[in-house]
Amino acid sequence: MTDEKYYISDVDRKEDTIYCYHNQMGEKLIPSHSHKKGQFLYTEGGVVFVKTKEKSYFLPARHYMWIAPGIEHSIHPSSPEVIMRNLYFPISSLDDPFYLHTSIYPVNDLLLELMLFTTRWTGHIEPSNKSIYTIVEAFKMLLPQVSNFSLPLALPLAKDKRLKHLITYLEHNLSKDFLFNDLAINFGFSPRSLSRLFQKDLGMSFIQYLTALRMLKALQLLLEKSLTINEVAMQVGYNSLPTFSNTFQKMIGVRPSEYIKMKAVL
């Protein structure tokens, strides 16, 4: 294991410590691994994709991801400039059930300030170091209190090979107006069988999946590209700006214009 990946194995070396790791080393990939500890992951400077065996998560600015203990995952920063801030916490059976579920949540100002306060520490924080440990433990205890709702910034991974090919096509052609019946026939399905396959393999309808895919791509474009909101809407297949804005707000919780302002804070 290379030096920059050393922390992956170091996290669980001591069971009762909280582990801090603020990564500014320009990593392009953190390979699939798991921890006995729960992981708080926050990013700056770009988008991070986190892949588990079941889902592909999209972690944008001003959000954090909680990765439950034992969940195998790989981390894919969108660029080497991305800074990842990690806190790893031991979780016991007496802890809030919140810590057993992997999801993405918005970050409020209180959480952001406390998280940035931890950048002065690296590595294991021992329980015996009460002045520091108490602060970081309080951060952990705050998470269920301030994380009132998770965001559906994840897509299930297709298992069926033909469905994988279709989804790859969707990902590369989001600006198009798809006709479901034509799409099904072009990929060797009947419309009815493709509709059933989406529900069986992905647990959602074609429209639900396509909408989520478009919104996640819109988030990425808003974060990484110097595009107007209207240009972003067009690139993800929306000719109507109000429809795009309403759909974005329904899924993300804020309108695109508000999200850009949130991004500017960082």
mmCIF file of all heavy atoms in Angstrom, residues 75-108:
data_model
loop_
_atom_site.group_PDB
_atom_site.id
_atom_site.type_symbol
_atom_site.label_atom_id
_atom_site.label_comp_id
_atom_site.label_asym_id
_atom_site.label_seq_id
_atom_site.Cartn_x
_atom_site.Cartn_y
_atom_site.Cartn_z
ATOM 1 N N ILE A 75 -13.829 5.573 -3.395
ATOM 2 C CA ILE A 75 -14.048 7.014 -3.482
ATOM 3 C C ILE A 75 -13.358 7.546 -4.731
ATOM 4 O O ILE A 75 -12.175 7.275 -4.969
ATOM 5 C CB ILE A 75 -13.519 7.727 -2.221
ATOM 6 C CG1 ILE A 75 -14.246 7.177 -0.979
ATOM 7 C CG2 ILE A 75 -13.726 9.233 -2.327
ATOM 8 C CD1 ILE A 75 -13.727 7.735 0.340
ATOM 9 N N HIS A 76 -14.109 8.307 -5.525
ATOM 10 C CA HIS A 76 -13.622 8.784 -6.816
ATOM 11 C C HIS A 76 -13.776 10.309 -6.898
ATOM 12 O O HIS A 76 -14.831 10.801 -7.291
ATOM 13 C CB HIS A 76 -14.406 8.125 -7.953
ATOM 14 C CG HIS A 76 -14.493 6.627 -7.839
ATOM 15 N ND1 HIS A 76 -13.747 5.780 -8.613
ATOM 16 C CD2 HIS A 76 -15.226 5.822 -7.016
ATOM 17 C CE1 HIS A 76 -14.015 4.525 -8.294
ATOM 18 N NE2 HIS A 76 -14.911 4.524 -7.323
ATOM 19 N N PRO A 77 -12.744 11.086 -6.533
ATOM 20 C CA PRO A 77 -12.813 12.545 -6.669
ATOM 21 C C PRO A 77 -12.893 12.935 -8.143
ATOM 22 O O PRO A 77 -12.317 12.262 -9.006
ATOM 23 C CB PRO A 77 -11.497 13.025 -6.037
ATOM 24 C CG PRO A 77 -11.011 11.871 -5.220
ATOM 25 C CD PRO A 77 -11.493 10.636 -5.925
ATOM 26 N N SER A 78 -13.603 14.026 -8.434
ATOM 27 C CA SER A 78 -13.750 14.464 -9.821
ATOM 28 C C SER A 78 -12.458 15.061 -10.363
ATOM 29 O O SER A 78 -12.273 15.151 -11.572
ATOM 30 C CB SER A 78 -14.885 15.488 -9.933
ATOM 31 O OG SER A 78 -14.609 16.616 -9.110
ATOM 32 N N SER A 79 -11.569 15.512 -9.467
ATOM 33 C CA SER A 79 -10.276 16.057 -9.892
ATOM 34 C C SER A 79 -9.295 15.951 -8.732
ATOM 35 O O SER A 79 -9.703 15.825 -7.579
ATOM 36 C CB SER A 79 -10.420 17.517 -10.331
ATOM 37 O OG SER A 79 -10.541 18.365 -9.198
ATOM 38 N N PRO A 80 -7.967 16.024 -9.025
ATOM 39 C CA PRO A 80 -6.964 15.957 -7.953
ATOM 40 C C PRO A 80 -7.017 17.155 -7.006
ATOM 41 O O PRO A 80 -6.410 17.123 -5.938
ATOM 42 C CB PRO A 80 -5.632 15.926 -8.724
ATOM 43 C CG PRO A 80 -5.985 15.444 -10.093
ATOM 44 C CD PRO A 80 -7.346 16.008 -10.363
ATOM 45 N N GLU A 81 -7.745 18.216 -7.387
ATOM 46 C CA GLU A 81 -7.826 19.410 -6.545
ATOM 47 C C GLU A 81 -8.821 19.264 -5.399
ATOM 48 O O GLU A 81 -8.872 20.102 -4.496
ATOM 49 C CB GLU A 81 -8.224 20.639 -7.391
ATOM 50 C CG GLU A 81 -7.110 21.190 -8.272
ATOM 51 C CD GLU A 81 -6.763 20.269 -9.428
ATOM 52 O OE1 GLU A 81 -7.700 19.767 -10.074
ATOM 53 O OE2 GLU A 81 -5.560 20.027 -9.654
ATOM 54 N N VAL A 82 -9.612 18.215 -5.433
ATOM 55 C CA VAL A 82 -10.612 18.009 -4.391
ATOM 56 C C VAL A 82 -9.932 17.736 -3.046
ATOM 57 O O VAL A 82 -9.007 16.948 -2.956
ATOM 58 C CB VAL A 82 -11.540 16.820 -4.744
ATOM 59 C CG1 VAL A 82 -12.439 16.467 -3.566
ATOM 60 C CG2 VAL A 82 -12.385 17.165 -5.962
ATOM 61 N N ILE A 83 -10.394 18.429 -2.019
ATOM 62 C CA ILE A 83 -9.933 18.197 -0.650
ATOM 63 C C ILE A 83 -11.000 17.381 0.071
ATOM 64 O O ILE A 83 -12.180 17.750 0.048
ATOM 65 C CB ILE A 83 -9.691 19.521 0.097
ATOM 66 C CG1 ILE A 83 -8.586 20.325 -0.581
ATOM 67 C CG2 ILE A 83 -9.339 19.264 1.561
ATOM 68 C CD1 ILE A 83 -8.432 21.738 -0.025
ATOM 69 N N MET A 84 -10.582 16.294 0.691
ATOM 70 C CA MET A 84 -11.521 15.454 1.433
ATOM 71 C C MET A 84 -11.209 15.523 2.917
ATOM 72 O O MET A 84 -10.062 15.338 3.323
ATOM 73 C CB MET A 84 -11.447 14.014 0.932
ATOM 74 C CG MET A 84 -12.066 13.831 -0.435
ATOM 75 S SD MET A 84 -11.970 12.127 -1.042
ATOM 76 C CE MET A 84 -10.250 12.041 -1.529
ATOM 77 N N ARG A 85 -12.220 15.813 3.696
ATOM 78 C CA ARG A 85 -12.064 15.917 5.146
ATOM 79 C C ARG A 85 -12.804 14.739 5.774
ATOM 80 O O ARG A 85 -14.011 14.579 5.587
ATOM 81 C CB ARG A 85 -12.584 17.249 5.644
ATOM 82 C CG ARG A 85 -11.947 18.440 4.908
ATOM 83 C CD ARG A 85 -12.118 19.737 5.672
ATOM 84 N NE ARG A 85 -11.517 20.860 4.960
ATOM 85 C CZ ARG A 85 -10.222 21.148 4.956
ATOM 86 N NH1 ARG A 85 -9.377 20.402 5.629
ATOM 87 N NH2 ARG A 85 -9.756 22.191 4.283
ATOM 88 N N ASN A 86 -12.066 13.917 6.503
ATOM 89 C CA ASN A 86 -12.614 12.673 7.042
ATOM 90 C C ASN A 86 -12.495 12.619 8.554
ATOM 91 O O ASN A 86 -11.455 12.959 9.115
ATOM 92 C CB ASN A 86 -11.850 11.476 6.476
ATOM 93 C CG ASN A 86 -11.925 11.384 4.969
ATOM 94 O OD1 ASN A 86 -12.867 10.831 4.417
ATOM 95 N ND2 ASN A 86 -10.917 11.915 4.279
ATOM 96 N N LEU A 87 -13.560 12.157 9.189
ATOM 97 C CA LEU A 87 -13.547 11.840 10.617
ATOM 98 C C LEU A 87 -14.133 10.446 10.770
ATOM 99 O O LEU A 87 -15.199 10.144 10.231
ATOM 100 C CB LEU A 87 -14.388 12.853 11.406
ATOM 101 C CG LEU A 87 -13.873 14.297 11.421
ATOM 102 C CD1 LEU A 87 -14.945 15.230 11.972
ATOM 103 C CD2 LEU A 87 -12.616 14.403 12.259
ATOM 104 N N TYR A 88 -13.413 9.585 11.482
ATOM 105 C CA TYR A 88 -13.831 8.200 11.665
ATOM 106 C C TYR A 88 -14.138 7.966 13.137
ATOM 107 O O TYR A 88 -13.283 8.217 13.996
ATOM 108 C CB TYR A 88 -12.724 7.244 11.212
ATOM 109 C CG TYR A 88 -12.308 7.410 9.768
ATOM 110 C CD1 TYR A 88 -11.358 8.366 9.415
ATOM 111 C CD2 TYR A 88 -12.844 6.609 8.760
ATOM 112 C CE1 TYR A 88 -10.948 8.517 8.089
ATOM 113 C CE2 TYR A 88 -12.432 6.755 7.440
ATOM 114 C CZ TYR A 88 -11.492 7.707 7.110
ATOM 115 O OH TYR A 88 -11.090 7.855 5.799
ATOM 116 N N PHE A 89 -15.355 7.472 13.424
ATOM 117 C CA PHE A 89 -15.817 7.336 14.804
ATOM 118 C C PHE A 89 -16.129 5.879 15.160
ATOM 119 O O PHE A 89 -16.799 5.189 14.373
ATOM 120 C CB PHE A 89 -17.103 8.140 15.010
ATOM 121 C CG PHE A 89 -16.945 9.620 14.790
ATOM 122 C CD1 PHE A 89 -17.247 10.195 13.561
ATOM 123 C CD2 PHE A 89 -16.504 10.444 15.813
ATOM 124 C CE1 PHE A 89 -17.117 11.559 13.352
ATOM 125 C CE2 PHE A 89 -16.374 11.810 15.617
ATOM 126 C CZ PHE A 89 -16.675 12.371 14.386
ATOM 127 N N PRO A 90 -15.705 5.428 16.336
ATOM 128 C CA PRO A 90 -16.159 4.111 16.802
ATOM 129 C C PRO A 90 -17.656 4.166 17.104
ATOM 130 O O PRO A 90 -18.136 5.146 17.672
ATOM 131 C CB PRO A 90 -15.332 3.876 18.070
ATOM 132 C CG PRO A 90 -14.875 5.228 18.509
ATOM 133 C CD PRO A 90 -14.779 6.081 17.281
ATOM 134 N N ILE A 91 -18.378 3.136 16.687
ATOM 135 C CA ILE A 91 -19.828 3.083 16.879
ATOM 136 C C ILE A 91 -20.165 1.857 17.726
ATOM 137 O O ILE A 91 -19.682 0.749 17.454
ATOM 138 C CB ILE A 91 -20.566 2.988 15.524
ATOM 139 C CG1 ILE A 91 -20.158 4.144 14.603
ATOM 140 C CG2 ILE A 91 -22.074 2.974 15.737
ATOM 141 C CD1 ILE A 91 -20.468 5.524 15.137
ATOM 142 N N SER A 92 -20.988 2.057 18.748
ATOM 143 C CA SER A 92 -21.385 0.943 19.618
ATOM 144 C C SER A 92 -22.872 0.666 19.461
ATOM 145 O O SER A 92 -23.619 1.442 18.852
ATOM 146 C CB SER A 92 -21.071 1.287 21.074
ATOM 147 O OG SER A 92 -22.041 2.188 21.594
ATOM 148 N N SER A 93 -23.315 -0.438 20.035
ATOM 149 C CA SER A 93 -24.719 -0.833 19.955
ATOM 150 C C SER A 93 -25.628 0.132 20.705
ATOM 151 O O SER A 93 -26.851 0.133 20.510
ATOM 152 C CB SER A 93 -24.899 -2.254 20.515
ATOM 153 O OG SER A 93 -24.459 -2.309 21.872
ATOM 154 N N LEU A 94 -25.055 0.955 21.560
ATOM 155 C CA LEU A 94 -25.839 1.918 22.335
ATOM 156 C C LEU A 94 -26.035 3.236 21.589
ATOM 157 O O LEU A 94 -26.805 4.096 22.017
ATOM 158 C CB LEU A 94 -25.143 2.191 23.676
ATOM 159 C CG LEU A 94 -24.965 0.986 24.604
ATOM 160 C CD1 LEU A 94 -24.216 1.388 25.868
ATOM 161 C CD2 LEU A 94 -26.317 0.359 24.955
ATOM 162 N N ASP A 95 -25.331 3.409 20.467
ATOM 163 C CA ASP A 95 -25.417 4.658 19.716
ATOM 164 C C ASP A 95 -26.741 4.768 18.957
ATOM 165 O O ASP A 95 -27.431 3.771 18.721
ATOM 166 C CB ASP A 95 -24.253 4.771 18.732
ATOM 167 C CG ASP A 95 -22.972 5.260 19.396
ATOM 168 O OD1 ASP A 95 -23.062 6.142 20.265
ATOM 169 O OD2 ASP A 95 -21.881 4.758 19.055
ATOM 170 N N ASP A 96 -27.041 5.990 18.553
ATOM 171 C CA ASP A 96 -28.242 6.278 17.772
ATOM 172 C C ASP A 96 -28.254 5.431 16.487
ATOM 173 O O ASP A 96 -27.220 5.282 15.834
ATOM 174 C CB ASP A 96 -28.250 7.774 17.412
ATOM 175 C CG ASP A 96 -29.584 8.242 16.883
ATOM 176 O OD1 ASP A 96 -30.013 7.736 15.831
ATOM 177 O OD2 ASP A 96 -30.191 9.137 17.502
ATOM 178 N N PRO A 97 -29.419 4.882 16.091
ATOM 179 C CA PRO A 97 -29.511 4.101 14.839
ATOM 180 C C PRO A 97 -29.089 4.889 13.604
ATOM 181 O O PRO A 97 -28.795 4.296 12.560
ATOM 182 C CB PRO A 97 -31.001 3.736 14.768
ATOM 183 C CG PRO A 97 -31.477 3.791 16.181
ATOM 184 C CD PRO A 97 -30.687 4.876 16.840
ATOM 185 N N PHE A 98 -29.067 6.219 13.720
ATOM 186 C CA PHE A 98 -28.608 7.080 12.627
ATOM 187 C C PHE A 98 -27.286 6.595 12.050
ATOM 188 O O PHE A 98 -27.071 6.606 10.825
ATOM 189 C CB PHE A 98 -28.454 8.516 13.160
ATOM 190 C CG PHE A 98 -27.706 9.442 12.231
ATOM 191 C CD1 PHE A 98 -28.382 10.184 11.277
ATOM 192 C CD2 PHE A 98 -26.321 9.593 12.317
ATOM 193 C CE1 PHE A 98 -27.690 11.037 10.421
ATOM 194 C CE2 PHE A 98 -25.632 10.443 11.479
ATOM 195 C CZ PHE A 98 -26.320 11.158 10.524
ATOM 196 N N TYR A 99 -26.372 6.157 12.918
ATOM 197 C CA TYR A 99 -25.007 5.821 12.494
ATOM 198 C C TYR A 99 -24.924 4.512 11.710
ATOM 199 O O TYR A 99 -23.859 4.184 11.180
ATOM 200 C CB TYR A 99 -24.084 5.736 13.712
ATOM 201 C CG TYR A 99 -24.051 6.997 14.538
ATOM 202 C CD1 TYR A 99 -24.624 7.035 15.799
ATOM 203 C CD2 TYR A 99 -23.446 8.158 14.051
ATOM 204 C CE1 TYR A 99 -24.610 8.203 16.565
ATOM 205 C CE2 TYR A 99 -23.424 9.323 14.812
ATOM 206 C CZ TYR A 99 -24.010 9.332 16.068
ATOM 207 O OH TYR A 99 -23.986 10.488 16.812
ATOM 208 N N LEU A 100 -26.025 3.787 11.612
ATOM 209 C CA LEU A 100 -26.017 2.507 10.903
ATOM 210 C C LEU A 100 -26.496 2.633 9.468
ATOM 211 O O LEU A 100 -26.599 1.631 8.746
ATOM 212 C CB LEU A 100 -26.893 1.491 11.654
ATOM 213 C CG LEU A 100 -26.485 1.205 13.102
ATOM 214 C CD1 LEU A 100 -27.440 0.195 13.727
ATOM 215 C CD2 LEU A 100 -25.046 0.697 13.181
ATOM 216 N N HIS A 101 -26.805 3.850 9.029
ATOM 217 C CA HIS A 101 -27.345 4.070 7.697
ATOM 218 C C HIS A 101 -26.440 4.998 6.890
ATOM 219 O O HIS A 101 -26.075 6.080 7.356
ATOM 220 C CB HIS A 101 -28.757 4.651 7.784
ATOM 221 C CG HIS A 101 -29.710 3.779 8.539
ATOM 222 N ND1 HIS A 101 -30.264 2.636 8.004
ATOM 223 C CD2 HIS A 101 -30.181 3.860 9.808
ATOM 224 C CE1 HIS A 101 -31.045 2.061 8.898
ATOM 225 N NE2 HIS A 101 -31.012 2.780 10.007
ATOM 226 N N THR A 102 -26.094 4.580 5.693
ATOM 227 C CA THR A 102 -25.262 5.374 4.798
ATOM 228 C C THR A 102 -26.143 6.328 3.998
ATOM 229 O O THR A 102 -27.106 5.896 3.354
ATOM 230 C CB THR A 102 -24.483 4.450 3.837
ATOM 231 O OG1 THR A 102 -23.620 3.604 4.604
ATOM 232 C CG2 THR A 102 -23.662 5.250 2.838
ATOM 233 N N SER A 103 -25.808 7.633 4.049
ATOM 234 C CA SER A 103 -26.614 8.603 3.319
ATOM 235 C C SER A 103 -25.870 9.933 3.215
ATOM 236 O O SER A 103 -24.788 10.104 3.780
ATOM 237 C CB SER A 103 -27.963 8.816 4.021
ATOM 238 O OG SER A 103 -28.878 9.425 3.138
ATOM 239 N N ILE A 104 -26.483 10.873 2.498
ATOM 240 C CA ILE A 104 -25.911 12.209 2.280
ATOM 241 C C ILE A 104 -26.844 13.255 2.875
ATOM 242 O O ILE A 104 -28.067 13.175 2.720
ATOM 243 C CB ILE A 104 -25.687 12.455 0.780
ATOM 244 C CG1 ILE A 104 -24.562 11.543 0.279
ATOM 245 C CG2 ILE A 104 -25.343 13.916 0.495
ATOM 246 C CD1 ILE A 104 -24.323 11.592 -1.213
ATOM 247 N N TYR A 105 -26.234 14.239 3.552
ATOM 248 C CA TYR A 105 -27.001 15.266 4.259
ATOM 249 C C TYR A 105 -26.431 16.657 3.982
ATOM 250 O O TYR A 105 -25.215 16.802 3.768
ATOM 251 C CB TYR A 105 -26.943 15.026 5.774
ATOM 252 C CG TYR A 105 -27.433 13.672 6.212
ATOM 253 C CD1 TYR A 105 -26.556 12.582 6.272
ATOM 254 C CD2 TYR A 105 -28.755 13.466 6.560
ATOM 255 C CE1 TYR A 105 -26.996 11.323 6.675
ATOM 256 C CE2 TYR A 105 -29.207 12.211 6.968
ATOM 257 C CZ TYR A 105 -28.319 11.149 7.017
ATOM 258 O OH TYR A 105 -28.759 9.917 7.417
ATOM 259 N N PRO A 106 -27.273 17.683 4.023
ATOM 260 C CA PRO A 106 -26.756 19.051 3.936
ATOM 261 C C PRO A 106 -25.939 19.393 5.182
ATOM 262 O O PRO A 106 -26.170 18.839 6.257
ATOM 263 C CB PRO A 106 -28.035 19.907 3.883
ATOM 264 C CG PRO A 106 -29.145 18.966 3.576
ATOM 265 C CD PRO A 106 -28.739 17.636 4.110
ATOM 266 N N VAL A 107 -24.996 20.296 5.028
ATOM 267 C CA VAL A 107 -24.179 20.763 6.156
ATOM 268 C C VAL A 107 -24.627 22.170 6.541
ATOM 269 O O VAL A 107 -24.669 23.063 5.699
ATOM 270 C CB VAL A 107 -22.682 20.778 5.774
ATOM 271 C CG1 VAL A 107 -21.858 21.529 6.813
ATOM 272 C CG2 VAL A 107 -22.155 19.360 5.627
ATOM 273 N N ASN A 108 -24.978 22.354 7.818
ATOM 274 C CA ASN A 108 -25.312 23.710 8.262
ATOM 275 C C ASN A 108 -24.062 24.430 8.775
ATOM 276 O O ASN A 108 -22.976 23.847 8.864
ATOM 277 C CB ASN A 108 -26.432 23.690 9.316
ATOM 278 C CG ASN A 108 -26.006 22.987 10.601
ATOM 279 O OD1 ASN A 108 -24.823 22.766 10.866
ATOM 280 N ND2 ASN A 108 -26.987 22.634 11.426
#
